[in-house]
C-alpha cells in the first residue's frame, strides 16, 4: 500500500476572525508562543512521518513560504557572532527531510476547491493528508502521542479514510460538523455513516465534531474534479467524502487523544498562547 508522505495545507484564507491582527500578516504567521502557527502544524506533520508539505496559497502570503526558506544573510550574521543556539533554532524550522511546495488557488471557491488545486502534485492513487492550520492539535501533557500519526497508521493498516474527531458538549454541536457513527474510544476509529453540518442538538447523530485533520485516498481528487458547489455556493470537501461513502468505500472517524486549540479566532488563539507558554515554562 502506498504510504502517506504528503500533506496539503490550505493557507489561502483571509483570516477575518483574527482581524485586525491578520490585516497585513497572514493568519498562519501569527505567533503561538515562540513560533508561527504554520510551523506548529508542519511540525505535527513531520511527527506523523509526513515530510512533503503542499501549501495552497494566494497573493500576499509569501511570508509563509519565506519562513521555510533559507536566509543566508541572517545565518551568516549569527554564525559570525557565534550564536550557535539561534542557528540551531533556524535549522529546526526546515530540516533537511522537509520538502515544501506551494500552489496558488486563483479563486476562493471553498475548501474542496483548495484541496483540488494540489491534485497535480500527487501521483496516481497516492493517498494524502489534509491539515487545516487554524486548529492546533497538541498531545496531552506528559504524552507524546501524535494523533495524526495514529491516523496514518490506521490508514496503512485498514485502507480506510480517516477523519479526526473530538467530543464536544451536546449544547455546542450546532457549531460543528458532527459525524454519524458508533462512538469509538480515544485512539480508535469507527466506520462513519455520514456527517451533518451544524445540526440542532436534538437532531445530532453524536457529539463527535470534525477537527480538520484528514487522511484520504486519491479518489477524492477525482470526485472533486466535478464536484458541484454545495453549502455557501462553495465546493465542499465533505460533499466529496459523502460521495466516497456512497461508492461503498469505508470512511472512519478517528477519535483523538490530544487537545485542540482553535487559533482561527482571538479567544482560541489567546488560550493557546497562555496554555502552551505556561507548559513551556514561561511566566505568563
Amino acid at each position: 500500500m502506498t504510504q502517506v508522505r504528503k500533506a496539503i495545507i490550505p493557507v489561502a484564507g483571509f483570516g477575518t476572525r483574527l482581524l485586525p491582527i491578520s490585516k497585513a500578516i497572514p493568519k498562519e504567521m501569527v505567533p503561538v508562543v515562540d513560533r508561527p502557527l504554520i510551523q506548529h502544524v508542519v511540525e505535527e506533520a513531520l511527527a506523523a512521518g509526513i515530510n512533503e508539505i503542499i501549501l495552497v496559497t494566494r497573493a500576499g502570503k509569501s511570508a509563509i513560504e519565506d519562513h521555510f526558506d533559507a536566509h543566508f544573510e541572517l545565518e551568516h550574521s549569527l554564525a559570525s557572532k557565534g550564536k550557535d543556539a539561534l542557528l540551531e533554532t533556524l535549522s529546526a524550522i526546515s530540516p533537511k527531510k522537509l520538502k515544501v511546495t506551494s500552489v496558488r488557488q486563483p479563486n476562493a471557491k471553498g475548501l474542496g476547491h483548495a484541496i483540488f488545486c494540489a491534485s497535480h502534485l500527487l501521483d496516481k492513487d497516492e493517498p494524502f493528508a489534509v491539515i487545516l492550520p487554524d486548529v492546533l492539535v497538541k498531545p496531552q501533557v506528559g504524552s507524546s502521542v501524535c494523533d495524526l500519526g495514529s491516523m496514518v497508521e490506521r490508514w496503512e493498516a485498514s485502507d480506510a479514510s480517516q477523519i479526526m474527531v473530538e467530543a464536544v458538549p451536546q449544547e455546542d454541536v450546532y457549531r460543528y460538523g458532527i459525524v454519524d457513527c458508533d462512538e469509538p474510544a480515544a485512539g480508535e476509529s469507527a466506520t462513519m455513516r455520514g456527517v451533518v453540518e451544524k445540526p440542532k442538538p436534538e437532531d445530532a447523530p453524536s457529539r463527535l465534531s470534525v477537527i480538520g485533520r484528514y487522511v484520504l485516498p486519491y479518489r477524492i481528487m477525482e470526485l472533486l474534479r466535478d464536484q458541484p458547489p454545495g453549502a455557501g455556493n462553495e465546493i465542499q470537501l465533505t460533499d466529496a467524502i459523502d460521495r466516497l461513502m456512497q461508492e461503498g468505500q469505508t470512511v472512519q472517524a478517528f477519535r483523538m487523544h490530544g487537545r485542540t486549540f482553535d487559533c482561527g479566532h482571538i479567544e482560541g488563539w489567546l488560550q493557546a498562547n497562555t496554555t502552551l507558554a505556561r507548559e513551556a515554562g514561561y511566566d505568563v
Side-chain angles (χ1 to χ4, degrees):
M1 184 186 299
T2 305
Q3 293 183 311
V4 180
R5 289 289 176 262
K6 295 176 183 175
I8 299 172
I9 306 180
V11 296
F14 290 110
T16 52
R17 293 188 298 163
L18 278 183
L19 287 171
I21 297 172
S22 57
K23 180 177 184 292
I25 302 171
K27 66 175 180 179
E28 297 81 8
M29 290 301 295
V30 171
V32 177
V33 189
D34 60 349
R35 66 201 68 186
L37 179 58
I38 189 65
Q39 187 176 334
H40 284 273
V41 296
V42 168
E43 289 171 353
E44 179 189 354
L46 288 170
I50 297 169
N51 68 318
E52 296 187 43
I53 303 299
I54 302 171
L55 301 172
V56 182
T57 184
R58 63 168 176 82
K61 294 273 190 163
S62 60
I64 301 172
E65 297 159 276
D66 292 345
H67 181 70
F68 293 101
D69 202 356
H71 194 316
F72 174 77
E73 295 84 355
L74 175 58
E75 293 168 6
H76 177 73
S77 175
L78 293 174
S80 66
K81 296 175 182 177
K83 297 184 177 181
D84 296 336
L86 286 175
L87 271 174
E88 290 181 10
T89 298
L90 287 185
S91 297
I93 294 173
S94 188
K96 291 182 179 180
K97 63 181 178 180
L98 177 65
K99 179 180 179 180
V100 179
T101 306
S102 63
V103 61
R104 291 289 183 98
Q105 182 184 18
N107 300 295
K109 296 182 180 179
L111 176 59
H113 178 259
I115 301 306
F116 182 72
C117 287
S119 60
H120 65 287
L121 297 175
L122 299 175
D123 294 331
K124 180 69 174 178
D125 296 328
E126 182 178 17
F128 60 98
V130 174
I131 303 176
L132 304 189
D134 283 2
V135 178
L136 287 186
V137 176
K138 295 290 185 180
Q140 296 289 350
V141 176
S143 172
S144 60
V145 173
C146 174
D147 283 309
L148 183 59
S150 297
M151 290 174 66
V152 170
E153 292 173 359
R154 287 271 169 180
W155 158 265
E156 293 175 351
S158 66
D159 201 24
S161 301
Q162 303 289 317
I163 298 178
M164 189 182 293
V165 298
E166 71 171 344
V168 296
Q170 186 71 30
E171 61 270 20
D172 290 339
V173 296
Y174 72 95
R175 299 178 179 177
Y176 306 98
I178 301 296
V179 301
D180 181 3
C181 69
D182 296 331
E183 189 165 325
E188 301 291 333
S189 297
T191 299
M192 288 173 47
R193 293 179 287 268
V195 59
V196 181
E197 279 295 327
K198 300 180 179 179
K200 296 178 180 178
E202 61 270 22
D203 297 332
S206 75
R207 297 188 301 115
L208 299 175
S209 68
V210 176
I211 295 303
R213 303 292 187 274
Y214 308 79
V215 177
L216 300 168
Y218 183 82
R219 176 61 179 155
I220 283 289
M221 291 299 189
E222 297 172 334
L223 293 171
L224 286 171
R225 182 176 290 113
D226 62 1
Q227 181 65 47
N233 200 34
E234 295 183 332
I235 298 172
Q236 299 292 344
L237 178 61
T238 51
D239 290 342
I241 292 172
D242 279 338
R243 289 173 65 193
L244 189 70
M245 288 189 286
Q246 290 169 16
E247 290 181 347
Q249 295 202 40
T250 301
V251 178
Q252 295 183 334
F254 173 85
R255 187 169 181 173
M256 62 182 300
H257 269 289
R259 303 166 290 165
T260 59
F261 299 92
D262 185 354
C263 295
H265 61 89
I266 296 294
E267 293 83 358
W269 173 70
L270 289 172
Q271 181 188 25
N273 273 284
T274 302
T275 302
L276 298 177
R278 286 172 177 165
E279 291 175 7
Y282 292 100
D283 185 13
V284 294

